[in-house]
Amino acid sequence: YVETVLTAAVAGYYLSQAADGAVDRRLFAEENGRMAAAVLTDAAATASQRDHALRTVTRWWKAREGGLSRRGLDGGPRGLLGDQLGLLEALTAAGRIKEALEVVAAVERELLDAEKAAFYDRPASGELPAGLDRIRFAHLNARARRAYRILGRAAKAPAVLKRVETLGDWLWNHPE
């Protein structure tokens, strides 16, 4: 189904298909990263499926701006945590550890609330007061913790593994 309906020609995965058969042909960073990671970690994936997933990872990697992904290839908000985690998961699954660590550096720089050791859902817009501008969601921080743990072990990166600990502490005190 994914290969015949949701796979974009060059690289990427379309968002969904409606009950009437219409395919939503938008391409989004988070969903593309998660799909590419799923394919790359699936032992049953074919060589063709893996090749498409690797092209997808490369396409999103090249589309970053200021170290962060935009929501869509044709624009949209820049720096949403879910989109960065999708790319991080895909790069890690592809074995592109150096690039995955670059995503970590950008996420730490743009989204980390250093006082609370958790990530905001997006960069500050400056349009709203600080307490309303962005939010630390437990579910996104739990996903970040998992992605950091996988990357930290693969890269043998103590700083990344330390963030796993601080995120765990924050999550313990902030259940959703």
Side-chain angles (χ1 to χ4, degrees), residues 2-77:
V2 171
E3 272 188 300
T4 58
V5 177
L6 298 180
T7 298
V10 176
Y13 303 95
Y14 298 128
L15 192 58
S16 64
Q17 181 181 25
D20 67 2
V23 175
D24 182 344
R25 296 191 177 275
R26 294 178 295 171
L27 300 170
F28 292 126
E30 179 173 8
E31 292 80 356
N32 271 257
R34 293 185 91 169
M35 180 62 85
V39 170
L40 293 169
T41 57
D42 183 354
T46 66
S48 172
Q49 292 166 336
R50 291 181 61 74
D51 184 56
H52 187 83
L54 291 169
R55 285 194 318 273
T56 298
V57 174
T58 298
R59 185 177 192 185
W60 284 96
W61 174 253
K62 289 180 178 179
R64 295 170 313 122
E65 295 175 17
L68 297 173
S69 290
R70 287 206 171 271
R71 180 76 180 118
L73 284 173
D74 57 352

Side-chain angles (χ1 to χ4, degrees), residues 101 104 108 148 152 155-166:
L101 290 170
V104 164
E108 298 271 330
Y148 269 55
K156 296 178 177 62
V160 175
L161 294 171
K162 179 63 177 165
R163 179 66 60 217
V164 171
E165 290 178 28
T166 58

Side-chain angles (χ1 to χ4, degrees), residues 5 8 19 22 28 54 64 73 75 112 136-137 139 146 154 159 170 172:
V5 177
F28 292 126
L54 291 169
R64 295 170 313 122
L73 284 173
L112 182 64
R136 294 178 311 259
F137 286 109
H139 73 279
R146 180 180 182 274
W170 184 86
W172 179 258

Side-chain angles (χ1 to χ4, degrees), residues 110-112 120-125 129-136:
E110 300 283 339
L111 302 175
L112 182 64
Y120 286 114
D121 62 325
R122 62 179 179 218
S125 69
L132 301 174
D133 194 28
R134 50 196 188 155
I135 302 169
R136 294 178 311 259

Side-chain angles (χ1 to χ4, degrees), residues 73-148:
L73 284 173
D74 57 352
R78 175 186 158 272
L80 299 178
L81 179 57
D83 294 334
Q84 310 325 302
L85 294 175
L87 181 58
L88 175 59
E89 292 159 347
L91 288 164
T92 303
R96 293 172 59 173
I97 303 304
K98 180 179 179 274
E99 290 101 331
L101 290 170
E102 288 183 39
V103 171
V104 164
V107 168
E108 298 271 330
R109 182 181 64 248
E110 300 283 339
L111 302 175
L112 182 64
D113 173 2
E115 293 176 3
K116 302 293 184 185
F119 297 111
Y120 286 114
D121 62 325
R122 62 179 179 218
S125 69
E127 296 174 7
L128 297 170
L132 301 174
D133 194 28
R134 50 196 188 155
I135 302 169
R136 294 178 311 259
F137 286 109
H139 73 279
L140 286 173
N141 278 280
R143 187 169 152 215
R145 184 172 185 258
R146 180 180 182 274
Y148 269 55

